[in-house]
């Protein structure tokens, strides 16, 4: 089985998936890249306060490293996923996501914030 590393930055950009032959290889790269990003962000801050919280979530079939930039409450994610997972699967979307997509037979279920102020809540589409 192949494994993918998906990097989602705090400003909304994403890196192309990186492919690995094992979970361990992808996880080690994610740890190295996340620590490098934390160091770079801290150095760029110079005299400004730049606290970064690191969270490691490691499960049997996936993993996530989160960098929480406390100064602006933003996040950067390093997700390690099996190759079968695609963007239409629900893979722990960032807190700022506009749409949650859950794959199902024949397509996916999309959940969005309602755009109609007369009907607050969510819109669900298949």
């Amino acid at each position: 089985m192949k494994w993918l590393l998906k990097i989602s930055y705090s400003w909304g950009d994403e890196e192309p998936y990186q492919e690995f032959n094992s979970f361990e290889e992808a996880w080690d790269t994610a740890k190295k890249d996340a620590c490098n990003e934390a160091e770079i962000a801290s150095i760029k801050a110079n005299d400004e306060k730049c606290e970064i919280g690191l969270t490691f979530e490691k499960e049997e079939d996936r993993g996530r490293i989160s960098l929480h930039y406390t100064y602006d409450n933003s996040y950067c994610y390093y997700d390690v996923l099996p190759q079968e997972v695609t963007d239409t699967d629900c893979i722990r979307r960032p807190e700022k996501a506009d749409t949650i997509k859950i794959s199902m037979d024949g397509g996916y279920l999309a959940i969005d914030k309602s755009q109609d102020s007369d009907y607050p809540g969510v819109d669900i589409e298949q």
Side-chain angles (χ1 to χ4, degrees):
M1 174 189 309
K2 298 283 186 181
W3 292 87
L4 303 175
L5 171 57
K6 178 182 180 183
I7 302 172
S8 306
Y9 294 108
S10 59
W11 56 88
D13 287 347
E14 293 182 353
E15 292 286 336
Y17 287 113
Q18 297 175 46
E19 187 177 298
F20 298 89
N21 292 319
S22 70
F23 176 88
E24 291 77 20
E25 184 182 6
W27 185 252
D28 287 345
T29 300
K31 288 189 299 187
K32 178 182 67 77
D33 289 355
C35 288
N36 285 341
E37 174 64 25
E39 178 184 28
I40 289 167
S42 294
I43 290 170
K44 283 184 178 178
N46 292 325
D47 295 332
E48 296 177 31
K49 190 173 187 178
C50 182
E51 293 178 344
I52 301 171
L54 279 161
T55 304
F56 295 86
E57 300 172 66
K58 191 174 178 184
E59 300 171 17
E60 281 184 32
D61 65 339
R62 62 188 65 215
R64 170 174 267 191
I65 300 171
S66 304
L67 274 67
H68 178 207
Y69 300 96
T70 59
Y71 68 93
D72 67 355
N73 200 33
S74 63
Y75 291 83
C76 185
Y77 299 104
Y78 295 76
D79 287 301
V80 175
L81 309 161
Q83 188 174 25
E84 294 81 28
V85 175
T86 66
D87 282 337
T88 59
D89 289 316
C90 185
I91 54 170
R92 297 190 202 118
R93 297 277 179 202
E95 284 77 6
K96 293 192 228 175
D98 294 322
T99 302
I100 296 173
K101 293 182 179 179
I102 303 169
S103 65
M104 48 192 293
D105 290 341
Y108 61 89
L109 187 67
I111 304 168
D112 296 298
K113 180 180 175 187
S114 176
Q115 300 299 311
D116 189 337
S117 60
D118 292 333
Y119 300 95
V122 296
D123 292 329
I124 301 174
E125 296 179 21
Q126 184 175 4

